[in-house]
Protein backbone atom coordinates (compact mmCIF):
# COMPACT_ATOMS: atom_id res chain seq x y z
CA UNK A 1 0.00 0.00 0.00
CA UNK A 2 1.28 3.46 -0.92
CA UNK A 3 1.71 5.89 2.00
CA UNK A 4 0.61 9.46 1.19
CA UNK A 5 3.23 11.40 3.08
CA UNK A 6 3.02 15.24 3.15
CA UNK A 7 5.87 15.43 0.61
CA UNK A 8 4.13 13.06 -1.81
CA UNK A 9 0.87 14.97 -1.45
CA UNK A 10 2.69 18.23 -2.20
CA UNK A 11 4.36 16.75 -5.30
CA UNK A 12 1.02 15.41 -6.53
CA UNK A 13 -0.57 18.83 -6.06
CA UNK A 14 2.22 20.51 -8.03
CA UNK A 15 1.88 18.01 -10.89
CA UNK A 16 -1.89 18.53 -11.05
CA UNK A 17 -1.41 22.31 -11.14
CA UNK A 18 1.07 22.04 -14.00
CA UNK A 19 -1.25 19.79 -15.99
CA UNK A 20 -4.17 22.15 -15.41
CA UNK A 21 -2.18 25.20 -16.49
CA UNK A 22 -0.91 23.39 -19.59
CA UNK A 23 -4.42 22.40 -20.65
CA UNK A 24 -5.64 25.96 -20.05
CA UNK A 25 -2.79 27.64 -21.91
CA UNK A 26 -4.81 28.02 -25.11
CA UNK A 27 -7.47 29.94 -23.16
CA UNK A 28 -4.98 32.01 -21.19
CA UNK A 29 -3.08 33.08 -24.34
CA UNK A 30 -5.65 34.09 -26.98
CA UNK A 31 -3.12 34.63 -29.77
CA UNK A 32 0.21 32.93 -30.31
CA UNK A 33 2.23 34.18 -33.26
CA UNK A 34 2.82 31.52 -35.89
CA UNK A 35 6.29 30.59 -36.97
CA UNK A 36 7.60 31.58 -40.38
CA UNK A 37 10.70 31.80 -42.55
CA UNK A 38 11.56 34.59 -44.95
CA UNK A 39 10.75 33.75 -48.56
CA UNK A 40 13.80 34.37 -50.73
CA UNK A 41 13.25 37.07 -53.32
CA UNK A 42 15.67 35.41 -55.74
CA UNK A 43 15.93 31.67 -55.01
CA UNK A 44 18.59 29.63 -56.77
CA UNK A 45 17.19 27.94 -59.93
CA UNK A 46 16.54 24.22 -59.55
CA UNK A 47 19.04 23.50 -62.32
CA UNK A 48 22.24 25.57 -62.72
CA UNK A 49 21.81 25.76 -66.50
CA UNK A 50 18.51 27.60 -66.20
CA UNK A 51 18.46 31.28 -67.08
CA UNK A 52 17.96 34.14 -64.65
CA UNK A 53 14.35 34.66 -63.60
CA UNK A 54 12.98 38.16 -64.20
CA UNK A 55 10.28 38.15 -61.51
CA UNK A 56 7.38 40.51 -62.06
CA UNK A 57 7.26 40.17 -65.84
CA UNK A 58 4.36 38.47 -67.60
CA UNK A 59 4.85 34.70 -67.75
CA UNK A 60 7.81 34.69 -65.38
CA UNK A 61 8.96 32.18 -64.23
CA UNK A 62 7.49 30.17 -67.15
CA UNK A 63 9.54 32.16 -69.64
CA UNK A 64 12.82 31.30 -67.93
CA UNK A 65 12.07 27.58 -68.01
CA UNK A 66 12.06 26.92 -64.26
CA UNK A 67 8.40 25.77 -64.30
CA UNK A 68 8.87 23.07 -66.92
CA UNK A 69 8.50 20.36 -64.28
CA UNK A 70 5.25 21.87 -62.92
CA UNK A 71 1.95 20.66 -64.41
CA UNK A 72 -1.03 22.95 -64.00
CA UNK A 73 -4.34 21.08 -63.82
CA UNK A 74 -7.53 23.05 -64.42
CA UNK A 75 -10.88 21.55 -63.36
CA UNK A 76 -14.04 22.90 -65.00
CA UNK A 77 -17.67 21.98 -65.61
CA UNK A 78 -18.91 21.40 -69.15
CA UNK A 79 -20.75 24.73 -69.23
CA UNK A 80 -17.57 26.64 -68.34
CA UNK A 81 -15.89 25.58 -71.60
CA UNK A 82 -17.69 28.40 -73.43
CA UNK A 83 -18.23 30.85 -70.54
CA UNK A 84 -15.21 31.03 -68.23
CA UNK A 85 -12.54 28.99 -69.99
CA UNK A 86 -11.83 31.44 -72.87
CA UNK A 87 -10.86 34.30 -70.54
CA UNK A 88 -8.82 32.01 -68.31
CA UNK A 89 -6.86 30.63 -71.25
CA UNK A 90 -6.28 34.17 -72.46
CA UNK A 91 -4.47 34.83 -69.19
CA UNK A 92 -2.72 31.55 -68.43
CA UNK A 93 -2.61 29.94 -71.87
CA UNK A 94 -0.13 32.53 -73.09
CA UNK A 95 2.35 31.32 -70.49
CA UNK A 96 1.76 27.58 -70.17
CA UNK A 97 0.99 25.62 -73.32
CA UNK A 98 0.70 22.12 -71.84
CA UNK A 99 -2.18 22.67 -69.43
CA UNK A 100 -4.27 19.71 -68.36
CA UNK A 101 -7.97 20.58 -68.45
CA UNK A 102 -10.56 18.21 -66.97
CA UNK A 103 -14.31 18.45 -67.33
CA UNK A 104 -17.34 16.17 -67.49
CA UNK A 105 -17.42 16.25 -71.30
CA UNK A 106 -14.67 15.84 -73.86
CA UNK A 107 -13.91 18.88 -76.03
CA UNK A 108 -11.20 20.83 -77.84
CA UNK A 109 -10.90 24.55 -77.26
CA UNK A 110 -8.32 27.00 -78.66
CA UNK A 111 -5.91 24.16 -79.28
CA UNK A 112 -6.29 22.72 -75.77
CA UNK A 113 -7.77 19.27 -75.22
CA UNK A 114 -10.45 19.11 -72.55
CA UNK A 115 -10.41 15.64 -71.01
CA UNK A 116 -13.59 14.02 -69.71
CA UNK A 117 -12.42 12.94 -66.25
CA UNK A 118 -15.41 10.63 -65.85
CA UNK A 119 -15.22 8.83 -69.20
CA UNK A 120 -13.56 5.66 -67.85
CA UNK A 121 -15.64 5.20 -64.73
CA UNK A 122 -16.86 1.62 -64.54
CA UNK A 123 -20.63 0.98 -64.87
CA UNK A 124 -20.93 -0.44 -61.34
CA UNK A 125 -20.00 2.96 -59.90
CA UNK A 126 -22.85 4.59 -61.81
CA UNK A 127 -25.43 1.90 -61.09
CA UNK A 128 -28.51 3.32 -59.32
CA UNK A 129 -26.66 6.61 -58.75
CA UNK A 130 -28.95 9.44 -59.85
CA UNK A 131 -26.03 11.90 -59.89
CA UNK A 132 -24.93 10.32 -63.15
CA UNK A 133 -28.25 11.16 -64.80
CA UNK A 134 -26.74 14.64 -65.04
CA UNK A 135 -23.66 13.19 -66.72
CA UNK A 136 -25.80 11.37 -69.28
CA UNK A 137 -27.73 14.55 -70.10
CA UNK A 138 -24.46 16.50 -70.54
CA UNK A 139 -23.18 13.91 -73.01
CA UNK A 140 -26.46 14.04 -74.94
CA UNK A 141 -26.48 17.84 -75.18
CA UNK A 142 -24.86 19.66 -78.09
CA UNK A 143 -21.59 21.54 -77.57
CA UNK A 144 -23.23 24.93 -77.17
CA UNK A 145 -25.67 23.91 -74.46
CA UNK A 146 -25.88 26.17 -71.43
CA UNK A 147 -24.34 25.12 -68.16
CA UNK A 148 -26.32 22.33 -66.52
CA UNK A 149 -27.97 23.60 -63.31
CA UNK A 150 -27.11 20.27 -61.61
CA UNK A 151 -23.60 19.93 -63.01
CA UNK A 152 -22.13 20.58 -59.56
CA UNK A 153 -23.35 17.12 -58.50
CA UNK A 154 -20.60 15.58 -60.66
CA UNK A 155 -17.76 17.67 -59.25
CA UNK A 156 -16.89 15.36 -56.35
CA UNK A 157 -16.58 12.38 -58.69
CA UNK A 158 -13.84 14.05 -60.75
CA UNK A 159 -11.10 14.31 -58.14
CA UNK A 160 -9.86 10.72 -57.86
CA UNK A 161 -10.17 9.87 -61.59
CA UNK A 162 -8.41 13.18 -62.27
CA UNK A 163 -5.42 12.00 -60.23
CA UNK A 164 -5.13 8.83 -62.32
CA UNK A 165 -5.46 10.75 -65.59
CA UNK A 166 -2.85 13.28 -64.45
CA UNK A 167 -0.35 10.60 -63.48
CA UNK A 168 -0.86 8.91 -66.85
CA UNK A 169 -0.74 12.06 -69.01
CA UNK A 170 2.14 13.82 -67.24
CA UNK A 171 4.35 11.03 -65.84
CA UNK A 172 7.55 13.11 -65.92
CA UNK A 173 6.31 16.16 -64.00
CA UNK A 174 7.60 16.81 -60.49
CA UNK A 175 4.83 19.08 -59.17
CA UNK A 176 1.09 19.25 -59.86
CA UNK A 177 -0.98 22.38 -59.15
CA UNK A 178 -4.76 21.85 -59.20
CA UNK A 179 -6.89 24.97 -59.71
CA UNK A 180 -10.28 26.20 -60.98
CA UNK A 181 -11.29 29.02 -63.31
CA UNK A 182 -11.91 31.42 -60.41
CA UNK A 183 -8.50 30.73 -58.80
CA UNK A 184 -5.78 33.39 -58.91
CA UNK A 185 -2.18 32.14 -58.70
CA UNK A 186 0.91 34.26 -58.15
CA UNK A 187 3.35 32.08 -60.07
CA UNK A 188 6.42 34.01 -58.92
CA UNK A 189 5.62 33.21 -55.31
CA UNK A 190 4.64 29.65 -56.23
CA UNK A 191 8.08 29.05 -57.69
CA UNK A 192 9.78 30.63 -54.66
CA UNK A 193 7.71 28.35 -52.43
CA UNK A 194 8.42 25.11 -54.31
CA UNK A 195 12.19 25.62 -54.20
CA UNK A 196 12.02 24.76 -50.47
CA UNK A 197 10.86 21.19 -51.09
CA UNK A 198 12.00 17.98 -52.76
CA UNK A 199 9.34 16.73 -55.22
CA UNK A 200 10.49 13.13 -54.75
CA UNK A 201 9.16 13.31 -51.18
CA UNK A 202 5.41 13.05 -50.62
CA UNK A 203 3.94 16.57 -50.28
CA UNK A 204 0.31 17.73 -50.24
CA UNK A 205 -0.09 21.52 -49.81
CA UNK A 206 -3.10 23.84 -49.67
CA UNK A 207 -5.49 25.91 -47.56
CA UNK A 208 -6.76 23.60 -44.79
CA UNK A 209 -10.41 22.89 -44.04
CA UNK A 210 -11.08 21.17 -40.71
CA UNK A 211 -14.15 18.87 -40.88
CA UNK A 212 -15.34 17.24 -37.67
CA UNK A 213 -13.92 13.76 -36.99
CA UNK A 214 -12.15 13.63 -40.36
CA UNK A 215 -8.72 14.49 -41.69
CA UNK A 216 -8.20 18.13 -42.72
CA UNK A 217 -8.28 18.64 -46.46
CA UNK A 218 -7.01 21.26 -48.90
CA UNK A 219 -9.81 23.47 -50.21
CA UNK A 220 -10.06 22.75 -53.93
CA UNK A 221 -10.96 26.23 -55.14
CA UNK A 222 -8.03 27.78 -53.30
CA UNK A 223 -5.67 25.56 -55.27
CA UNK A 224 -3.66 22.64 -53.93
CA UNK A 225 -0.35 20.99 -54.82
CA UNK A 226 0.81 17.39 -55.00
CA UNK A 227 4.43 16.38 -55.47
CA UNK A 228 5.55 13.55 -57.71
CA UNK A 229 6.21 11.49 -54.59
CA UNK A 230 2.67 12.09 -53.27
CA UNK A 231 1.00 11.18 -56.56
CA UNK A 232 3.10 8.01 -56.81
CA UNK A 233 1.94 6.93 -53.33
CA UNK A 234 -1.66 7.65 -54.24
CA UNK A 235 -1.42 5.62 -57.42
CA UNK A 236 0.28 2.74 -55.59
CA UNK A 237 -2.74 2.54 -53.27
CA UNK A 238 -5.04 2.57 -56.29
CA UNK A 239 -3.19 -0.31 -57.92
CA UNK A 240 -3.33 -2.29 -54.69
CA UNK A 241 -7.09 -1.79 -54.50
CA UNK A 242 -7.54 -2.84 -58.14
CA UNK A 243 -5.44 -5.99 -57.69
CA UNK A 244 -7.28 -7.02 -54.53
CA UNK A 245 -10.64 -6.67 -56.24
CA UNK A 246 -9.59 -8.43 -59.45
CA UNK A 247 -10.66 -5.78 -61.95
CA UNK A 248 -8.77 -3.01 -63.74
CA UNK A 249 -9.36 0.65 -62.97
CA UNK A 250 -8.59 2.47 -59.74
CA UNK A 251 -10.95 5.38 -60.14
CA UNK A 252 -12.52 5.36 -56.71
CA UNK A 253 -9.80 3.60 -54.73
CA UNK A 254 -12.42 1.64 -52.85
CA UNK A 255 -14.18 4.78 -51.56
CA UNK A 256 -17.92 5.48 -51.65
CA UNK A 257 -17.78 8.90 -53.24
CA UNK A 258 -21.57 9.23 -53.42
CA UNK A 259 -21.64 9.42 -49.61
CA UNK A 260 -18.99 12.16 -49.45
CA UNK A 261 -19.77 15.85 -49.33
CA UNK A 262 -17.09 16.87 -51.76
CA UNK A 263 -14.20 15.60 -53.84
CA UNK A 264 -11.44 17.57 -52.18
CA UNK A 265 -12.38 16.04 -48.82
CA UNK A 266 -12.45 12.53 -50.30
CA UNK A 267 -9.07 13.05 -51.95
CA UNK A 268 -7.53 14.04 -48.61
CA UNK A 269 -8.86 10.90 -46.96
CA UNK A 270 -7.35 8.67 -49.65
CA UNK A 271 -4.06 10.58 -49.53
CA UNK A 272 -3.88 10.13 -45.76
CA UNK A 273 -4.50 6.38 -46.15
CA UNK A 274 -1.66 6.44 -48.69
CA UNK A 275 0.67 8.01 -46.11
CA UNK A 276 0.37 11.60 -47.39
CA UNK A 277 -1.18 13.97 -44.81
CA UNK A 278 -2.00 17.59 -45.61
CA UNK A 279 0.43 20.39 -44.87
CA UNK A 280 -1.71 23.53 -44.63
CA UNK A 281 -0.23 26.86 -45.70
CA UNK A 282 -3.03 29.36 -45.08
CA UNK A 283 -3.08 32.31 -45.70
CA UNK A 284 -0.56 31.81 -48.53
CA UNK A 285 -3.19 29.55 -50.11
CA UNK A 286 -6.39 31.53 -49.62
CA UNK A 287 -10.10 31.05 -50.22
CA UNK A 288 -10.91 34.76 -50.52
CA UNK A 289 -10.43 37.46 -53.14
CA UNK A 290 -8.97 40.93 -52.42
CA UNK A 291 -12.24 42.60 -51.25
CA UNK A 292 -13.01 39.78 -48.79
CA UNK A 293 -9.43 39.04 -47.65
CA UNK A 294 -8.66 39.63 -43.99
CA UNK A 295 -5.80 42.09 -43.36
CA UNK A 296 -4.34 42.09 -39.86
CA UNK A 297 -1.18 41.43 -37.87
CA UNK A 298 -1.49 37.68 -38.47
CA UNK A 299 -1.39 38.06 -42.26
CA UNK A 300 0.26 41.43 -42.92
CA UNK A 301 3.72 40.28 -44.06
CA UNK A 302 2.72 36.84 -45.39
CA UNK A 303 3.34 36.00 -49.06
CA UNK A 304 0.29 35.46 -51.27
CA UNK A 305 0.20 32.45 -53.57
CA UNK A 306 -3.46 31.87 -54.39
CA UNK A 307 -6.87 33.50 -54.00
CA UNK A 308 -10.33 32.21 -54.87
CA UNK A 309 -13.79 33.34 -56.03
CA UNK A 310 -12.45 35.94 -58.46
CA UNK A 311 -14.87 37.08 -61.15
CA UNK A 312 -13.67 38.47 -64.46
CA UNK A 313 -13.76 42.04 -63.17
CA UNK A 314 -11.63 40.96 -60.19
CA UNK A 315 -9.01 39.44 -62.50
CA UNK A 316 -9.01 42.56 -64.67
CA UNK A 317 -8.64 44.96 -61.74
CA UNK A 318 -5.94 42.85 -60.13
CA UNK A 319 -4.01 42.56 -63.39
CA UNK A 320 -4.05 46.33 -63.91
CA UNK A 321 -2.92 46.87 -60.32
CA UNK A 322 -0.09 44.34 -60.70
CA UNK A 323 1.16 46.08 -63.84
CA UNK A 324 1.45 49.31 -61.84
CA UNK A 325 3.43 47.82 -58.92
CA UNK A 326 6.53 49.89 -58.08
CA UNK A 327 8.62 46.79 -57.37
CA UNK A 328 7.03 43.89 -59.26
CA UNK A 329 10.13 41.75 -58.76
CA UNK A 330 9.42 41.51 -55.03
CA UNK A 331 7.29 38.77 -53.50
CA UNK A 332 3.66 39.87 -53.29
CA UNK A 333 2.51 40.26 -49.67
CA UNK A 334 -0.74 41.22 -47.92
CA UNK A 335 0.85 44.54 -46.96
CA UNK A 336 1.18 45.54 -50.60
CA UNK A 337 -2.14 44.06 -51.73
CA UNK A 338 -3.87 46.19 -49.10
CA UNK A 339 -3.17 49.25 -51.27
CA UNK A 340 -5.62 47.78 -53.80
CA UNK A 341 -8.58 47.87 -51.38
CA UNK A 342 -7.60 50.72 -49.02
CA UNK A 343 -8.92 53.57 -51.23
CA UNK A 344 -12.44 52.11 -50.94
CA UNK A 345 -12.52 52.20 -47.12
CA UNK A 346 -14.66 55.00 -45.65
CA UNK A 347 -16.24 56.13 -42.43
CA UNK A 348 -19.67 54.79 -43.35
CA UNK A 349 -21.06 52.63 -46.15
CA UNK A 350 -24.77 51.86 -46.52
CA UNK A 351 -26.02 48.49 -47.75
CA UNK A 352 -22.58 47.03 -47.24
CA UNK A 353 -21.11 44.26 -45.09
CA UNK A 354 -17.44 44.43 -44.16
CA UNK A 355 -17.76 40.93 -42.70
CA UNK A 356 -16.91 41.89 -39.11
CA UNK A 357 -17.07 38.81 -36.92
CA UNK A 358 -14.71 38.98 -33.89
CA UNK A 359 -17.17 40.45 -31.35
CA UNK A 360 -20.94 40.24 -31.85
CA UNK A 361 -23.39 42.27 -29.73
CA UNK A 362 -26.95 40.96 -29.92
CA UNK A 363 -28.46 43.14 -27.21
CA UNK A 364 -27.80 46.33 -25.27
CA UNK A 365 -26.87 49.82 -26.42
CA UNK A 366 -24.52 48.84 -29.31
CA UNK A 367 -27.43 47.21 -31.15
CA UNK A 368 -29.68 50.27 -31.03
CA UNK A 369 -28.00 52.27 -33.80
CA UNK A 370 -25.01 52.61 -36.12
CA UNK A 371 -23.61 55.40 -33.93
CA UNK A 372 -23.88 53.28 -30.79
CA UNK A 373 -22.14 50.43 -32.60
CA UNK A 374 -19.34 52.82 -33.55
CA UNK A 375 -18.97 53.81 -29.89
CA UNK A 376 -18.65 50.12 -28.96
CA UNK A 377 -15.84 49.83 -31.50
CA UNK A 378 -14.13 52.92 -30.04
CA UNK A 379 -14.19 51.34 -26.57
CA UNK A 380 -12.49 48.18 -27.92
CA UNK A 381 -8.84 49.11 -28.45
CA UNK A 382 -8.38 46.29 -30.98
CA UNK A 383 -11.43 47.19 -33.08
CA UNK A 384 -10.54 48.24 -36.64
CA UNK A 385 -14.02 48.20 -38.19
CA UNK A 386 -17.66 47.46 -37.39
CA UNK A 387 -21.06 46.90 -38.95
CA UNK A 388 -24.61 47.43 -37.78
CA UNK A 389 -27.18 45.03 -39.21
CA UNK A 390 -30.35 46.31 -37.58
CA UNK A 391 -30.36 43.44 -35.07
CA UNK A 392 -26.64 43.12 -34.26
CA UNK A 393 -23.51 45.18 -33.79
CA UNK A 394 -20.47 43.32 -35.09
CA UNK A 395 -16.84 44.32 -34.46
CA UNK A 396 -13.63 43.17 -36.12
CA UNK A 397 -9.99 43.23 -35.00
CA UNK A 398 -8.76 42.99 -38.60
CA UNK A 399 -9.59 44.87 -41.80
CA UNK A 400 -11.78 43.72 -44.68
CA UNK A 401 -13.47 45.66 -47.44
CA UNK A 402 -16.38 43.26 -47.89
CA UNK A 403 -19.25 43.42 -50.36
CA UNK A 404 -22.68 44.85 -51.03
CA UNK A 405 -25.57 43.54 -48.91
CA UNK A 406 -29.01 44.87 -49.84
CA UNK A 407 -31.73 45.28 -47.16
CA UNK A 408 -34.15 42.46 -46.43
CA UNK A 409 -36.86 42.14 -43.76
CA UNK A 410 -35.44 43.63 -40.55
CA UNK A 411 -31.81 43.65 -41.76
CA UNK A 412 -30.03 46.67 -43.15
CA UNK A 413 -26.24 46.44 -43.21
CA UNK A 414 -24.25 49.62 -42.60
CA UNK A 415 -20.46 49.32 -42.26
CA UNK A 416 -17.80 51.60 -40.89
CA UNK A 417 -14.01 51.62 -40.64
CA UNK A 418 -11.79 53.26 -38.01
CA UNK A 419 -9.63 55.07 -40.54
CA UNK A 420 -7.34 56.63 -37.92
CA UNK A 421 -6.61 53.28 -36.29
CA UNK A 422 -6.02 51.69 -39.69
CA UNK A 423 -3.51 54.42 -40.52
CA UNK A 424 -1.74 53.85 -37.18
CA UNK A 425 -1.74 50.09 -37.74
CA UNK A 426 -0.07 50.49 -41.13
CA UNK A 427 2.54 52.82 -39.71
CA UNK A 428 3.35 50.47 -36.82
CA UNK A 429 3.69 47.39 -39.06
CA UNK A 430 5.41 48.83 -42.14
CA UNK A 431 7.53 48.09 -43.94
CA UNK A 432 7.68 44.29 -43.88
CA UNK A 433 11.23 42.99 -43.76
CA UNK A 434 10.80 40.27 -46.35
CA UNK A 435 7.83 38.06 -47.24
CA UNK A 436 6.84 35.54 -44.56
CA UNK A 437 6.74 31.90 -45.61
CA UNK A 438 4.48 30.56 -42.85
CA UNK A 439 5.08 27.23 -41.14
CA UNK A 440 2.50 24.60 -42.01
CA UNK A 441 -0.64 23.95 -39.96
CA UNK A 442 -1.30 21.07 -39.63
Amino acid sequence: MVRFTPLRLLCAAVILCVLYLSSSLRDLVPYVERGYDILEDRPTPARPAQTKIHFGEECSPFKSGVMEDVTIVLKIGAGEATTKLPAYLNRLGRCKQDLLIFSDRKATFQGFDVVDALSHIRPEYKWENTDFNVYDSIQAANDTADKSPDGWKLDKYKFLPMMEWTSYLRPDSQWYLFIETDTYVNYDNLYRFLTHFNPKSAHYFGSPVWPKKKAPFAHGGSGFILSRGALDKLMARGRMFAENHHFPGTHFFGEKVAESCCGDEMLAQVLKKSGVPLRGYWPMFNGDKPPTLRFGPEQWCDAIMTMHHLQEEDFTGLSQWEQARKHPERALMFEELFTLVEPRLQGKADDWTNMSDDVIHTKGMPVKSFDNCERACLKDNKCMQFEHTGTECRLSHSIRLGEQRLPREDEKYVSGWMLGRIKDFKKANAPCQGAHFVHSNP
Side-chain angles (χ1 to χ4, degrees):
M1 183 180 293
V2 178
R3 284 188 61 194
F4 289 99
T5 65
L7 180 60
R8 285 178 174 169
L9 288 172
L10 178 61
C11 291
V14 170
I15 291 171
L16 287 173
C17 286
V18 170
L19 290 173
Y20 173 78
L21 289 173
S22 298
S23 64
S24 304
L25 188 59
R26 185 181 296 272
D27 298 325
L28 293 172
V29 183
Y31 172 72
V32 178
E33 187 174 355
R34 299 163 302 147
Y36 62 86
D37 296 316
I38 298 297
L39 203 63
E40 293 182 44
D41 263 355
R42 297 200 172 277
T44 303
R47 293 190 294 268
Q50 288 169 333
T51 59
K52 182 179 179 181
I53 307 167
H54 297 282
F55 288 120
E57 297 180 2
E58 185 184 32
C59 297
S60 64
F62 296 104
K63 191 161 53 179
S64 62
V66 297
M67 295 281 275
E68 291 176 358
D69 294 336
V70 180
T71 287
I72 298 171
V73 184
L74 183 63
K75 178 174 64 67
I76 66 172
E80 292 180 289
T82 55
T83 55
K84 295 183 178 180
L85 185 59
Y88 207 86
L89 290 179
N90 186 48
R91 287 187 296 271
L92 181 57
R94 294 197 303 267
C95 302
K96 186 74 171 174
Q97 294 300 312
D98 62 342
L99 289 174
L100 279 183
I101 306 174
F102 290 104
S103 181
D104 33 37
R105 182 170 60 196
K106 182 179 179 180
T108 300
F109 193 85
Q110 293 183 4
F112 289 92
D113 290 328
V114 179
V115 179
D116 180 357
L118 305 178
S119 61
H120 288 177
I121 290 180
R122 294 178 63 80
E124 58 263 34
Y125 287 117
K126 303 177 184 179
W127 184 254
E128 294 185 347
N129 185 336
T130 57
D131 289 344
F132 280 92
N133 294 341
V134 181
Y135 179 76
D136 293 338
S137 66
I138 289 175
Q139 307 316 303
N142 65 45
D143 291 341
T144 59
D146 292 335
K147 181 177 180 180
S148 169
D150 293 323
W152 61 269
K153 292 181 179 179
L154 297 173
D155 185 75
K156 64 183 179 181
Y157 296 96
K158 297 176 189 174
F159 279 79
L160 289 171
M162 197 165 65
M163 299 303 124
E164 186 174 20
W165 273 109
T166 298
S167 181
Y168 172 73
L169 293 172
R170 295 294 184 272
D172 297 325
S173 290
Q174 299 302 303
W175 295 103
Y176 302 88
L177 169 66
F178 297 84
I179 55 176
E180 300 176 3
T181 54
D182 58 353
T183 309
Y184 162 89
V185 183
N186 186 288
Y187 289 99
D188 288 358
N189 281 355
L190 174 67
Y191 172 70
R192 291 181 175 106
F193 175 78
L194 291 179
T195 58
H196 289 77
F197 305 97
N198 181 354
K200 294 180 181 179
S201 300
H203 295 299
Y204 168 37
F205 304 136
S207 178
V209 179
W210 306 81
K212 291 183 178 179
K213 299 181 181 179
K214 293 182 180 179
F217 64 92
H219 178 234
S222 303
F224 63 92
I225 294 174
L226 291 179
S227 66
R228 176 76 258 172
L231 193 57
D232 285 346
K233 282 198 168 189
L234 184 70
M235 295 311 300
R237 180 175 177 83
R239 286 191 295 271
M240 178 182 68
F241 168 74
E243 291 167 1
N244 289 343
H245 287 74
H246 308 293
F247 60 81
T250 62
H251 300 86
F252 287 141
F253 298 79
E255 303 294 336
K256 296 181 180 178
V257 179
E259 298 176 3
S260 175
C261 80
C262 33
D264 41 13
E265 180 191 54
M266 177 59 69
L267 173 62
Q269 293 179 32
V270 180
L271 281 167
K272 187 176 181 181
K273 293 174 182 177
S274 306
V276 188
L278 172 67
R279 294 181 67 177
Y281 282 98
W282 181 90
M284 296 170 68
F285 291 86
N286 209 289
D288 283 296
K289 57 185 179 179
T292 60
L293 275 178
R294 191 185 300 270
F295 296 90
E298 187 179 13
Q299 303 89 4
W300 192 247
C301 293
D302 290 348
I304 294 173
M305 251 182 334
T306 72
M307 292 183 282
H308 187 219
H309 292 308
L310 277 78
Q311 301 300 316
E312 194 55 37
E313 60 269 22
D314 298 310
F315 279 113
T316 300
L318 187 56
S319 176
Q320 293 172 349
W321 176 84
E322 285 182 312
Q323 291 172 16
R325 290 177 66 195
K326 292 182 179 179
H327 299 284
E329 75 283 357
R330 295 180 184 173
L332 179 62
M333 293 177 278
F334 282 77
E335 176 191 38
E336 186 178 3
L337 189 64
F338 185 65
T339 64
L340 174 64
V341 302
E342 185 180 18
R344 298 178 62 185
L345 304 182
Q346 52 190 300
K348 183 179 180 180
D350 289 313
D351 300 330
W352 193 269
T353 172
N354 59 20
M355 309 172 79
S356 296
D357 59 2
D358 287 315
V359 178
I360 302 176
H361 296 280
T362 58
K363 57 184 179 180
M365 288 300 294
V367 180
K368 293 184 179 298
S369 69
F370 174 84
D371 291 339
N372 285 347
C373 187
E374 182 178 22
R375 293 188 189 100
C377 184
L378 281 167
K379 291 179 181 178
D380 184 340
N381 292 331
K382 295 180 181 179
C383 184
M384 306 294 283
Q385 63 177 46
F386 60 96
E387 64 181 4
H388 186 261
T389 71
T391 58
E392 294 179 338
C393 169
R394 306 166 69 93
L395 314 181
S396 178
H397 298 158
S398 55
I399 310 160
R400 297 170 99 171
L401 174 59
E403 57 195 12
Q404 186 181 49
R405 179 72 64 86
L406 296 176
R408 59 183 182 185
E409 297 179 358
D410 59 345
E411 287 187 345
K412 177 176 172 56
Y413 279 74
V414 185
S415 294
W417 291 264
M418 309 301 287
L419 300 180
R421 286 184 180 177
I422 292 172
K423 182 179 179 181
D424 292 340
F425 166 78
K426 283 181 57 184
K427 185 177 179 180
N429 289 275
C432 292
Q433 302 301 315
H436 291 182
F437 166 17
V438 300
H439 292 172
S440 63
N441 179 28

